[in-house]
Each structure stands twice: as C-alpha cells, then as structure tokens.
C-alpha cells in the first residue's frame, strides 16, 4: 500500500492525514495478519510488514486481542473486507478513533 502525499496530522501520535482528510496510522513493528472480518476466527487474507501505514475507514467490536498497544476488542477496517486488531495500531487512544462500521 502506498501513500502518495501525506502531511503530519494534529492530534494522534503516529497518525498522518492525506489532503482528502483520511488519516493513516502506523502499525506495530511486527508482522501483522490482515483478516476478512473482525476477529481471530476469520481467514487471513494477507500480512503487513511491521511499521506499515494504514487507513482506518471504520472500526467495529470483535474478538478481544492483546497486542503491542494493549488489550482491546476494537478492529480496524483498513480496506474492503480487511480488518486488523487495533491492539497493533498506534492510534494514540484506547477507544474508537473512527466511526463504527455499518
């Protein structure tokens, strides 16, 4: 995933915003499974290298996971049908930073 032009966003540590206002966040420095749904029982669709920049389109509750940035049941939708646990994303918050997925 490439991000053409990004600027530092005010607020969340590790977040950058595009000209369109979509925020990208940095993942933990570990290889990260991307799943087809918000939980560890969903299929792995791909993996991300540590320190990737990902957008968060929306967030939803799912399986509770303990990761680099704590324990949470929040899952981040980073693309159509692709979710990662928020426990591995540096959002600067223990709660929701994007709208809930529909």
């Amino acid at each position: 995933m490439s991000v053409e032009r990004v600027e530092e966003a005010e607020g969340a540590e590790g977040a950058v915003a595009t000209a369109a206002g979509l925020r990208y966040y940095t993942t933990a420095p570990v290889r990260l499974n991307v799943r087809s749904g918000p939980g560890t029982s969903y299929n792995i669709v791909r993996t991300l290298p540590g320190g990737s920049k990902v957008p968060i389109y929306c967030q939803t509750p799912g399986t509770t996971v303990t990761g680099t940035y704590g324990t949470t049941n929040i899952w981040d939708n980073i693309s159509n049908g692709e979710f990662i646990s928020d426990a591995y994303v540096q959002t600067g918050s223990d709660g929701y930073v994007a709208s809930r997925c529909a």
Side-chain angles (χ1 to χ4, degrees), residues 33-55:
N33 291 329
V34 179
R35 297 188 177 269
S36 61
T40 55
S41 64
Y42 287 88
N43 291 331
I44 297 170
V45 296
R46 65 184 173 119
T47 58
L48 293 174
S52 295
K53 298 278 189 205
V54 295

Side-chain angles (χ1 to χ4, degrees), residues 39-102:
T40 55
S41 64
Y42 287 88
N43 291 331
I44 297 170
V45 296
R46 65 184 173 119
T47 58
L48 293 174
S52 295
K53 298 278 189 205
V54 295
I56 298 178
Y57 292 101
C58 62
Q59 295 177 297
T60 191
T63 306
T64 298
V65 172
T66 298
T68 305
Y69 302 114
T71 300
T72 185
N73 72 336
I74 298 172
W75 285 74
D76 304 331
N77 177 274
I78 61 168
S79 186
N80 189 25
E82 295 187 351
F83 293 83
I84 57 176
S85 172
D86 196 62
Y88 291 97
V89 182
Q90 186 179 12
T91 61
S93 173
D94 288 337
Y96 288 87
V97 297
S99 62
R100 293 267 182 122
C101 300

